[in-house]
């Protein structure tokens, strides 16, 4: 069947607690349309997309998410009318996991793509995170081990490559296929990217929360951020 377009997951550092899930025949054109606005400090970024053969396939996905948890959808009252929007209060990794499950059940994993971020997109997200946490330098792997968030010996993977597993061996390194390397090097090796946001895109094997989410949860618990 001829491919019509994609279901996309968009992120924006301006509102990190939400993702936009929708459909587009041409997702790059849709991005340009959204990013024409000067009302938000950062641009939308294409986080992932899933190739589909029919238009408006995202409506079924919206209905499924709304049935599972109706509180995730952004709903507002405007001019006396209720507007349901395509924004959901979930992490990009959780949104990706939904598409991944659909792709696995339908045997179409090859149609799901986690998009490599540009250097500008990575810079924007780093800047937004620094503003939000009021920290120019975020805690690293050694801090997470000391805080008991993760442990030496834990298995980790990139969310889009769950079968490629590395083992944490100390506060700076992992072991992957007999080689010792940094988390960044491991992430780049399995994705083929030149750079990777390792904390945002990696998780412990068998868990849903990313290392970034685990880190932020602990920082809130300790009162380091609000």
């Amino acid at each position: 069947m001829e491919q019509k377009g994609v279901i996309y997951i968009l992120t924006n550092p301006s509102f990190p607690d939400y993702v936009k899930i929708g459909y587009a025949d041409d997702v790059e054109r849709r991005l340009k349309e959204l990013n024409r606005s000067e009302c938000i400090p950062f641009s939308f970024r294409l986080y992932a997309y899933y190739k589909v053969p029919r238009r408006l396939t995202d409506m079924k996905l919206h209905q499924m998410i709304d049935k599972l948890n109706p509180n995730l959808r952004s709903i507002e009252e405007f001019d006396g009318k209720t507007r349901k929007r395509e924004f959901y209060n979930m992490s990009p990794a959780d949104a990706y996991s939904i598409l991944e499950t659909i792709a696995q059940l339908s045997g179409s994993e090859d149609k799901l793509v986690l998009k490599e971020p540009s250097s500008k997109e990575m810079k924007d997200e780093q800047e937004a995170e620094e503003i939000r946490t009021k920290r120019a330098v975020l805690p690293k792997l050694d801090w997470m081990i000391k805080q008991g968030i993760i442990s030496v010996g834990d298995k980790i993977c990139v969310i889009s490559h769950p079968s490629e597993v590395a083992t944490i061996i100390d506060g700076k390194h992992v072991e992957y296929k007999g080689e010792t390397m940094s988390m960044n090097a491991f992430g780049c090796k399995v994705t083929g990217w030149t750079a990777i946001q390792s904390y945002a895109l990696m998780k412990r094997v068998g868990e849903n929360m990313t290392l970034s989410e685990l880190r932020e949860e602990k920082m809130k618990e300790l009162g380091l951020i609000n």
Side-chain angles (χ1 to χ4, degrees):
M1 189 176 292
E2 181 185 356
Q3 180 193 326
K4 292 295 183 183
V6 301
I7 294 176
Y8 58 72
I9 299 171
L10 302 186
T11 61
N12 191 309
S14 308
F15 27 88
D17 293 332
Y18 286 84
V19 294
K20 179 174 170 58
I21 302 174
Y23 170 89
D25 288 329
D26 184 337
V27 70
E28 293 299 335
R29 183 173 65 187
R30 181 66 176 133
L31 269 175
K32 288 178 182 178
E33 291 170 352
L34 289 168
N35 288 333
R36 286 194 187 113
S37 172
E38 296 180 356
C39 298
I40 49 178
F42 296 102
S43 299
F44 282 91
R45 167 199 161 190
L46 179 59
Y47 180 86
Y49 60 91
Y50 179 52
K51 301 172 188 177
V52 293
R54 289 177 294 277
R55 290 184 173 87
L56 302 180
T57 312
D58 63 309
M59 300 299 289
K60 294 291 185 181
L61 181 58
H62 293 165
Q63 291 169 12
M64 182 188 76
I65 297 173
D66 290 344
K67 285 181 180 179
L68 290 172
N69 189 341
N71 297 319
L72 293 176
R73 172 93 75 122
S74 174
I75 302 175
E76 66 176 0
E77 297 291 332
F78 181 78
D79 199 21
K81 296 181 179 180
T82 300
R83 296 200 305 183
K84 287 188 175 182
R85 313 193 64 179
E86 293 183 337
F87 289 90
Y88 288 87
N89 184 9
M90 64 172 65
S91 70
D94 283 345
Y96 180 86
S97 180
I98 292 173
L99 291 185
E100 183 180 41
T101 299
I102 293 171
Q104 289 172 344
L105 290 174
S106 61
S108 57
E109 294 96 328
D110 60 319
K111 297 185 183 301
L112 178 60
V113 178
L114 183 68
K115 185 75 163 52
E116 180 178 5
S118 68
S119 56
K120 180 184 183 304
E121 288 168 341
M122 292 182 67
K123 182 179 178 182
D124 284 351
E125 290 182 10
Q126 177 69 24
E127 181 181 345
E129 190 170 18
E130 289 172 358
I131 292 170
R132 182 163 50 88
T133 62
K134 299 181 175 62
R135 297 175 70 93
V137 180
L138 287 164
K140 300 297 183 183
L141 185 61
D142 56 348
W143 181 87
M144 295 180 70
I145 292 173
K146 288 177 182 177
Q147 294 297 326
I149 306 169
I150 54 177
S151 304
V152 171
D154 282 353
K155 309 291 185 182
I156 60 171
C157 63
V158 179
I159 61 172
S160 58
H161 293 72
S163 62
E164 301 292 339
V165 176
T167 303
I168 296 173
I169 57 175
D170 60 34
K172 294 184 181 294
H173 303 95
V174 301
E175 182 180 355
Y176 173 64
K177 292 186 176 180
E179 293 184 49
T180 298
M181 60 189 72
S182 67
M183 278 206 313
N184 276 357
F186 162 62
C188 291
K189 195 175 186 69
V190 300
T191 60
W193 298 353
T194 56
I196 189 170
Q197 297 157 295
S198 53
Y199 291 87
L201 293 177
M202 291 188 193
K203 64 180 183 178
R204 272 190 298 212
V205 173
E207 296 186 359
N208 291 326
M209 292 182 70
T210 63
L211 298 185
S212 178
E213 290 170 326
L214 290 171
R215 177 175 62 187
E216 187 164 327
E217 183 178 67
K218 187 65 175 183
M219 290 175 72
K220 286 180 179 178
E221 180 188 319
L222 296 174
L224 300 176
I225 57 175
N226 296 324

